[in-house]
Amino acid sequence: MAFRRDSYYIAKIKEGDPGAYAVLVDKYKKMAFNVALQLMGNREDAEEVAQDAFLKAYQAIDTYKGDAKFSTWVYRIIYNTAISKLRKKKLDVSSIDEDYSASVNIKSTQSALQELRSEERKKYLTKALQNMSAEDRTLLTLFYLEENSVEEVCSVTGLSQSNVKVKLHRARKKLYSELEMILHGELKTIL
């Protein structure tokens, strides 16, 4: 079944057809879970956040005006729900603005990654992302994996454009550094 535009289903929901919401949930559930997982760091909390966010989105559907894409609006709800849950759990979410002074050899890390098979690349990227802060993982996921624009990332996170660009730049450097350490460690065990 081909999906119609989101606006079609939103109009149906506002007319009182809750079944239309199931189509939107089905369309965005994987994205919602992935974003929540990057923020929360574990499957159980991610599933709970995604479910809560979809419930909140359904309850607030009348407030959706269509200024942003529906997916961006849902991202924002997921992001806020996850941040609220993290605050409640009083988890120590490390600051993205902490000093970053390690030198990173990006070119050699990139070339080493190019040589790995796709499956191995995914394994190492996942491992590197897990070592990063929730905010770094989320920004990298939203921008690179979910392919949102900087403007859409701003809508989701509430950060300014320049702030998103700076944080993405820092997060990329940290990711390369993490990959470099992981790959270096793997090479030591092989040799």
Side-chain angles (χ1 to χ4, degrees):
M1 171 182 122
F3 284 113
R4 297 183 184 198
R5 290 183 173 269
D6 292 347
S7 56
Y8 169 82
Y9 296 106
I10 293 164
K12 287 285 197 196
I13 296 162
K14 289 181 178 182
E15 291 168 10
D17 178 6
Y21 193 62
V23 176
L24 292 176
V25 170
D26 194 50
K27 183 176 178 180
Y28 293 110
K29 68 184 175 190
K30 185 175 179 184
M31 168 277 302
F33 174 75
N34 287 336
V35 170
L37 183 60
Q38 295 306 320
L39 280 162
M40 301 308 298
N42 69 66
R43 294 187 70 81
E44 296 79 23
D45 286 343
E47 287 170 1
E48 187 179 327
V49 164
Q51 289 172 0
D52 289 352
F54 276 122
L55 180 61
K56 287 176 183 178
Y58 181 73
Q59 292 169 338
I61 198 75
D62 287 333
T63 66
Y64 175 70
K65 303 296 181 214
D67 301 339
K69 291 190 309 190
F70 180 74
S71 59
T72 303
W73 186 70
V74 171
Y75 277 128
R76 179 78 179 165
I77 294 170
I78 294 164
Y79 182 82
N80 288 337
T81 303
I83 296 301
S84 293
K85 187 170 179 65
L86 285 169
R87 282 189 186 128
K88 282 180 191 164
K89 290 178 88 175
K90 295 181 181 173
L91 291 176
D92 180 30
V93 178
S94 62
S95 169
I96 194 168
D97 291 322
E98 62 194 21
D99 289 339
Y100 181 76
S101 57
S103 84
V104 178
N105 188 342
I106 292 172
K107 283 195 188 266
S108 69
T109 304
Q110 280 179 328
S111 61
L113 271 177
Q114 294 298 332
E115 294 169 14
L116 296 172
R117 292 194 313 270
S118 178
E119 194 175 298
E120 288 174 321
R121 253 185 286 179
K122 186 176 180 183
K123 179 182 96 176
Y124 290 119
L125 281 171
T126 301
K127 196 172 182 180
L129 282 169
Q130 287 171 346
N131 293 336
M132 298 177 72
S133 72
E135 190 172 19
D136 286 347
R137 284 193 310 263
T138 302
L139 288 170
L140 291 168
T141 299
L142 287 172
F143 189 73
Y144 291 105
L145 302 178
E146 299 292 337
E147 298 180 356
N148 285 287
S149 67
V150 170
E151 292 78 19
E152 290 167 330
V153 174
C154 292
S155 288
V156 171
T157 60
L159 299 169
S160 70
Q161 233 182 9
S162 59
N163 208 350
V164 166
K165 288 178 182 177
V166 167
K167 289 180 182 220
L168 272 172
H169 176 73
R170 290 179 184 164
R172 260 192 319 270
K173 279 184 159 181
K174 289 178 185 177
L175 178 63
Y176 281 123
S177 179
E178 287 293 336
L179 285 168
E180 192 173 48
M181 287 189 293
I182 290 167
L183 292 172
H184 184 71
E186 289 288 321
L187 282 176
K188 275 188 172 178
T189 60
I190 293 169
L191 304 172

